[in-house]
Amino acid sequence: MQVISKKKGRQSVVFTEPPMVFSSASIVGDVEAKGPLGSRFDLILDDDTWGEKSWEKAESKMFERSVRLAAEKSKIDLNEIDCLLGGDLLNQIISASYAARTLKIPYFGLYGACSTMTESLLISGMLIDGGFREMAACTASSHFSTAERQYRFPLELGNQIPPTSQRTVTGAGCVIIGNANKCKDGFLFKSIRITAGTIGRIVDLGITDASNMGAAMAPAAADTISAHLQDMNRTVDDYDLIVTGDLGKFGSEMLFDLCKEKNVDISGKHADCGCLIYTADQDVNCGGSGCGCSAVTLASYYLERIENANYDRILFLATGALMSPSSSLQGESIPGIAHAVVMERSCCI
Amino acid sequence: MQVISKKKGRQSVVFTEPPMVFSSASIVGDVEAKGPLGSRFDLILDDDTWGEKSWEKAESKMFERSVRLAAEKSKIDLNEIDCLLGGDLLNQIISASYAARTLKIPYFGLYGACSTMTESLLISGMLIDGGFREMAACTASSHFSTAERQYRFPLELGNQIPPTSQRTVTGAGCVIIGNANKCKDGFLFKSIRITAGTIGRIVDLGITDASNMGAAMAPAAADTISAHLQDMNRTVDDYDLIVTGDLGKFGSEMLFDLCKEKNVDISGKHADCGCLIYTADQDVNCGGSGCGCSAVTLASYYLERIENANYDRILFLATGALMSPSSSLQGESIPGIAHAVVMERSCCI
């Protein structure tokens, strides 16, 4: 038997039996709940330790509960989910691993920093369209308090932050996708398919300022958008919207310029989860960041917008900055990456 | 078109057009070179900074060079490799990410601790058999000096280590696999296929001693071996050898007992990369560990043994302990995971 090629160009893939989105769930902190999407999130934590002894344990609980909640919302039994793919920003992705321990689902840990949500969706999509798995939970989480003390300073110090910085979203988002044959009445979504995707390459323009993630990630987003359009032989007009993960205000502006240099004008078609999740008066400088940012925005907002026919086809790219505090101290610049998935509305089965 | 199911049981997959192993390379430090496999490694570092300013930069260079060397050994152009999947033990897997920046290959970062090599082989295998990619580089690295200072104490302290501990292997291993159609004369290997695999679940029996990784990982290895045999409807007799990643001496003994509890006797068919890589007089207590341990042992030794018909079919499981120093300090036990791949000799094309 010949393997049917689903490779498209250098970096992209197209699905022949596009996996469907079945369910989603989002859990966020109180700051995120005060933002424009506040009413759309499934669960809001008043206390960001969620009754646990540490923020790290709370983040892992968020990761785990987002999977359980996404399953519950579509009456999916956890045993039907035959793969869990995800990660977070913590050293050794402990939020994901400890959650996977409790969930007991076959598990692949991923590290793509803030790009984790689309890394997970893209790999899961391939495993499902390839016939290897039937249903996968794609999950990512981040937590303001765990990220601050790991990447920057103890919160107790009350350090000032520069104007280019972004606030790490306290949030976990889960999206359950699967083979269309598994679609059932009562599922939360019945009209969204992942039809294609583009695997990101690392792009690094030499940004060394770890408080300017947007600038570090924008070149990778521009590279992936450009590669996607070329591989797929499409233009920006083929999309209702191009959504980036968490470039924030500064990074989004940089993205427009970098795309224009490649003769791609996305300015009228672009949205960024990092710009969307907080209001201007929330004192978050350039917007939101963290694995959870694009995960909860997709899970709570964009999927519903596609299902309700506000959009027919979007290109969704979570973007990641892949440095560590050690690499920054050792004078390394910040490598960025962005993986893209195409989400389309198509008639339900 | 109907998706052909390649799912087997709860956790396993079988390939219909099994991906082939094309090439491999291994780079190790001087301690590893003094072990039983010394003469088989491709490149040996006399100085574990390899001329770089930090051990971390040296580890990333090892990761990168192992990919280049594996490609060179089979005269594969880097542009033919359409996906790089891998990771390491460092926070934010910076060895892998910085290597991917230089290599410019579409990249998925993975975190599976010492299980990374089989996580990479298993996902890559699915992407290739699914038709999404044609050739993938699967890579993992670890480094004694980076791991010591990140997980334990500054090396300069000269801390004593307990007898259950293992030595983190300084090494990077890369295995290039691809669609059989891509196989060419002159490739290093022409007779090895990855025919099936089993996705691991997290197993945690409550071990909290971070100096006893073997005990933390053995339950996961037993779980995956048992799941694999059940899913595939096979017995230990169907394999010439069952190779675990880096359980070490203590962990291997524990594995025999745990398997016996499941009525599986592997004692006559088992080997462990952590036990194989150093000699008894090298003062490494229970053996080798780290992502690089199973990666370099597979890349330098087991692949050749299959190619040369010493083995016809092996089950290869890298095993990972997914804790971080933070989770240990917060009183968490150590979750283990093991992903398995089946490697078989089959006639060349």
Side-chain angles (χ1 to χ4, degrees), chain A residues 11-23:
Chain A
Q11 292 173 240
S12 301
V13 298
V14 286
F15 297 125
T16 49
E17 286 292 310
M20 294 192 74
V21 174
F22 292 154
S23 197

Side-chain angles (χ1 to χ4, degrees), chain A residues 196-212:
Chain A
T198 300
I199 308 170
R201 291 180 303 182
I202 304 251
V203 183
D204 186 339
L205 294 191
I207 306 282
T208 52
D209 178 2
S211 297
N212 195 351

Side-chain angles (χ1 to χ4, degrees), chain B residues 152-269:
Chain B
R152 285 169 279 266
F153 297 102
L155 276 174
E156 294 79 357
L157 277 181
N159 283 73
Q160 277 200 305
I161 48 173
T164 51
S165 70
Q166 296 169 243
R167 182 186 168 94
T168 305
V169 164
T170 298
C174 173
V175 176
I176 298 176
I177 69 171
N179 185 300
N181 294 335
K182 295 273 154 186
C183 189
K184 281 185 201 159
D185 281 341
F187 276 10
L188 192 60
F189 303 112
K190 298 186 74 180
S191 317
I192 311 170
R193 289 176 192 259
I194 299 176
T195 54
T198 300
I199 308 171
R201 292 180 303 182
I202 303 250
V203 183
D204 186 338
L205 294 192
I207 306 280
T208 52
D209 179 1
S211 297
N212 196 351
M213 296 293 186
M217 297 188 290
D223 188 73
T224 301
I225 291 168
S226 159
H228 176 79
L229 297 177
Q230 193 177 333
D231 287 348
M232 301 289 291
N233 197 21
R234 288 184 181 166
T235 70
V236 172
D237 292 336
D238 291 312
Y239 293 91
D240 294 323
L241 203 65
I242 294 173
V243 184
T244 49
D246 50 354
L247 299 182
K249 203 178 149 196
F250 185 82
S252 293
E253 285 165 17
M254 194 168 157
L255 174 66
F256 298 159
D257 292 341
L258 290 166
C259 281
K260 273 193 191 142
E261 283 177 16
K262 295 171 194 282
N263 292 318
V264 176
D265 182 7
I266 63 160
S267 54
K269 291 267 180 122

Side-chain angles (χ1 to χ4, degrees), chain A residues 89-111:
Chain A
L89 294 177
L90 295 184
N91 297 338
Q92 289 70 50
I93 58 166
I94 49 172
S95 305
S97 297
Y98 282 102
R101 175 179 68 181
T102 312
L103 294 165
K104 299 185 196 306
I105 300 169
Y107 163 67
F108 285 128
L110 309 180
Y111 187 78

Side-chain angles (χ1 to χ4, degrees), chain A residues 1-2 6-7 10 17 54 56 79 82 92 98 101 107 109 111 119 131 181 200 204 330 333 339, chain B residues 1-2 6-7 10 17 54 56 79 82 91-92 98 101 107 109 111 119 131 181 200 204 330 333:
Chain A
M1 199 174 71
Q2 186 75 28
K6 298 168 190 172
K7 183 179 166 180
R10 169 80 174 139
E17 286 292 310
S54 71
E56 288 75 14
N79 284 319
D82 53 19
Q92 289 70 50
Y98 282 102
R101 175 179 68 181
Y107 163 67
Y111 187 78
E119 181 176 355
N181 294 336
D204 186 339
Q330 291 178 8
S333 54
H339 302 292
Chain B
M1 198 174 70
Q2 186 76 26
K6 298 168 190 171
K7 184 179 165 180
R10 168 80 174 139
E17 286 292 310
S54 70
E56 288 74 14
N79 284 318
D82 53 18
N91 296 338
Q92 288 71 50
Y98 282 103
R101 175 178 69 180
Y107 164 68
Y111 187 78
E119 179 175 357
N181 294 335
D204 186 338
Q330 292 178 9
S333 54

